[in-house]
Amino acid sequence: RWYRSRLQRRKFLCTREKLVCVQHLVRSWLHRRNEAAVRIQRGVRVFLQRKQQAKVSCGIVKFQALWRGYQWRKANETKKMRTLRQRLRKLSEEYKAEDKLCNRTSVALNYLLSYKHFSYILAALKHLEAATRLSSICCERMAQSGAVRTIFTLIRSCNRSIPCMEVITLSIQILLNLTK
């Protein structure tokens, strides 16, 4: 009986030692996992805090700009400025999507490449001259569409009449804007 109790005690102590070892491994694994989660959460909190701070500072800058504009308008309010502001409001109400520079460029390129009527070509050249003078993106689009070859053909086909001279002038101005 004493011997059996000793064996059972030894077996119990061995099992207990193994369990303690497994518990230690599990606890260390859980601790590492917890530390990793804490690091990730800390990093996310710092990121969100910086993002919030940037948003707040951007809002402050916008508010300052609005305030400066309000103060300037308040200090420089004249009849001329009021009429100018009213004209701008009226123009923005009458604004249409086809008046955009890119849409005007597309329509003008289409007219230039497809129509043969002189008035359409002249109107298209006027639109293209304004677009190439104001926008580099429109210049790139025009260069890619093959309109330059059409403009050179148009210049070659013109004579010395007044409308033809206007077409040549606009065409040369467009080509100069493209080279810039």
Side-chain angles (χ1 to χ4, degrees):
R1 212 164 105 197
W2 175 82
Y3 182 71
R4 269 189 262 130
S5 68
R6 279 298 210 191
L7 281 178
Q8 191 173 7
R9 177 77 178 157
R10 190 181 295 159
K11 189 176 179 183
F12 167 75
L13 289 175
C14 185
T15 306
R16 182 173 162 252
E17 188 179 322
K18 288 177 183 175
L19 278 174
V20 167
C21 184
V22 168
Q23 282 178 345
H24 178 70
L25 288 173
V26 168
R27 282 184 183 140
S28 66
W29 177 75
L30 285 173
H31 181 71
R32 280 196 312 269
R33 187 172 153 201
N34 188 33
E35 286 294 316
V38 166
R39 281 189 193 133
I40 291 170
Q41 289 170 352
R42 188 181 313 131
V44 168
R45 267 191 235 108
V46 167
F47 170 75
L48 291 175
Q49 185 180 12
R50 284 182 185 158
K51 192 174 178 182
Q52 180 68 22
Q53 186 109 19
K55 193 175 180 182
V56 167
S57 65
C58 183
I60 289 171
V61 168
K62 281 184 182 177
F63 178 74
Q64 287 173 343
L66 286 171
W67 182 254
R68 268 190 240 111
Y70 169 74
Q71 288 292 341
W72 187 86
R73 282 190 300 277
K74 190 174 169 185
N76 298 318
E77 185 66 30
T78 61
K79 186 176 180 181
K80 187 177 179 182
M81 290 297 290
R82 265 185 260 131
T83 56
L84 183 65
R85 201 173 297 119
Q86 287 173 351
R87 282 180 56 203
L88 283 173
R89 281 191 194 114
K90 186 179 175 186
L91 282 174
S92 65
E93 288 171 1
E94 296 172 357
Y95 170 75
K96 297 176 208 147
E98 59 263 9
D99 292 338
K100 278 180 148 180
L101 192 61
C102 61
N103 293 339
R104 285 174 56 189
T105 306
S106 300
V107 170
L109 283 173
N110 188 22
Y111 279 11
L112 187 66
L113 295 174
S114 59
Y115 286 98
K116 300 296 180 203
H117 200 270
F118 213 68
S119 61
Y120 286 129
I121 291 174
L122 196 57
L125 286 174
K126 285 180 183 177
H127 286 302
L128 285 176
E129 193 277 325
T132 55
R133 181 170 25 96
L134 298 173
S135 171
S136 62
I137 296 170
C138 292
C139 289
E140 290 174 9
R141 181 193 259 168
M142 191 175 154
Q144 291 171 353
S145 70
V148 177
R149 183 179 298 137
T150 308
I151 290 175
F152 278 122
T153 306
L154 191 63
I155 290 172
R156 273 191 238 112
S157 67
C158 285
N159 55 23
R160 294 183 143 233
S161 66
I162 293 174
C164 283
M165 294 304 281
E166 193 173 347
V167 166
I168 290 171
T169 304
L170 287 171
S171 299
I172 289 173
Q173 191 60 44
I174 290 169
L175 292 173
L176 284 172
N177 291 337
L178 283 174
T179 57
K180 289 178 188 174

